[in-house]
Amino acid sequence: MTICVPLTDRALVEVSGEDRVSFLQGLLSQSLENLSPGQARYGALLTPQGRLLFDLFVVGRPEAIWLDVAAARRDDLLTRLKIYRLRARVDIRPLEAGIWTCWPEPPGPGWVPDPRREGLAWRAWGPAAPPAATGSLEDWRARRLAFGVGDAEDFDFDRDYPVELNFDRVGGIDFAKGCFVGQETTSRMKRRGQVKTRLVPIRFEGPPPVRGSEVLKGELRAGEVRSGVDGLALALLRLDRIDGALSVEGRSVSVEAPLPE
């Protein structure tokens, strides 16, 4: 059975105008070259120091580009983009349209694969005839956690580095493209193997720990929990402390392998 969920925690920004591609190409971690209408890519806007500011999907449209971002952060994204606009010939505005995800198969035409992991889900933006909702945001959370994929609720914006959050392993960074904001730090961390922490799935008995709960290796701090469902969560963990006996809130924790390269 296909499960469809309206992503009410996401919102859209439309960038139009003749400079839209070059404008965003110089800002985002994802390349916009050859982005065709109906195609979607995953990426980020970073601080100049390389920390994550916004995770987003870049969606090609016939005369525009849509940015799919956490709804609570859309106004901040609009403000940031307008700061960077300068003399670029672009129009930036909020767009009111539905955002949907479904799995394991799309309910009809107009859906594109979620680019973060093969088989994770399908995604659609503002379909003319949206499907009936057959699932909830909690169902979607459980689905992506089972695939080890983080989302906005797993990220500490303006603090975390995208490579720590596996953006390099879910296609969120194009290391071959030209310059983008925060590129130097991001490329250096990847090139020199300076990634000491990663977002990884953990399993335990019972309900998910409170976000921010410490994961311990003995008495040593190994990391902290981000989002979770019963029995499963994502945690930002030190890679040198993921082996052996770990615990959270007094419960035993098993750590699954980080996402593959």
Side-chain angles (χ1 to χ4, degrees):
M1 181 184 74
T2 296
I3 298 174
C4 293
V5 178
L7 298 179
T8 54
D9 59 343
R10 307 288 295 186
L12 290 170
V13 169
E14 182 180 78
V15 182
S16 58
E18 59 184 289
D19 292 341
R20 62 187 182 276
V21 173
S22 59
F23 170 65
L24 292 174
Q25 182 76 1
L27 295 179
L28 304 183
S29 66
Q30 180 57 261
S31 176
L32 277 73
E33 292 183 355
N34 304 316
L35 180 71
S36 58
Q39 185 180 13
R41 297 173 184 171
Y42 186 59
L45 178 59
L46 312 179
T47 69
Q49 296 76 30
R51 298 183 187 272
L52 180 65
L53 273 180
F54 305 93
D55 76 299
L56 43 83
F57 292 83
V58 184
V59 186
R61 305 297 293 179
E63 299 294 334
I65 294 170
W66 289 358
L67 304 178
D68 167 351
V69 67
R73 298 187 57 74
R74 179 170 66 174
D75 288 348
D76 290 342
L77 177 60
L78 287 164
T79 299
R80 181 73 55 154
L81 291 176
K82 289 174 182 178
I83 290 173
Y84 281 122
R85 179 170 53 189
L86 299 176
R87 294 184 177 85
R89 289 163 293 187
V90 294
D91 181 55
I92 303 165
R93 68 183 185 95
L95 183 69
E96 301 307 322
I99 304 173
W100 291 77
T101 189
C102 74
W103 65 90
E105 301 295 336
W111 294 73
V112 299
D114 189 310
R116 292 174 292 182
R117 283 202 74 183
E118 184 177 357
L120 170 60
W122 297 76
R123 212 167 177 103
W125 297 266
T134 55
S136 65
L137 288 175
E138 187 71 3
D139 295 326
W140 169 232
R141 179 181 294 115
R143 174 74 176 182
R144 65 173 181 77
L145 291 180
F147 278 75
V149 173
D151 213 343
E153 64 184 359
D154 298 295
F155 308 150
D156 279 0
F157 295 103
D158 207 13
R159 176 185 138 186
D160 294 337
Y161 290 100
V163 176
E164 296 177 327
L165 303 172
N166 300 323
F167 275 66
D168 57 326
R169 297 184 176 181
V170 295
I173 303 171
D174 186 341
F175 289 97
K177 67 170 286 187
C179 294
F180 59 88
V181 176
Q183 181 194 37
E184 182 178 354
T185 299
T186 304
S187 298
R188 184 173 63 247
M189 289 180 69
K190 183 70 171 177
R191 184 177 64 251
R192 297 182 180 178
Q194 295 177 333
V195 185
K196 298 180 180 179
T197 61
R198 283 271 183 191
L199 198 64
V200 298
I202 61 172
R203 292 193 178 272
F204 43 83
E205 294 292 333
V210 174
R211 192 187 194 282
S213 296
E214 284 191 325
V215 179
L216 300 175
K217 182 175 183 178
E219 296 182 354
L220 297 176
R221 188 179 191 275
E224 65 178 40
V225 174
R226 296 297 172 88
S227 73
V229 294
D230 285 355
L232 177 65
L234 290 179
L236 191 66
L237 299 181
R238 285 182 47 162
L239 297 179
D240 61 349
R241 292 181 180 172
I242 63 174
D243 296 323
L246 278 72
S247 65
V248 62
E249 296 180 341
R251 291 178 279 171
S252 177
V253 165
S254 62
V255 179
E256 298 189 354
L259 290 181
E261 295 277 0

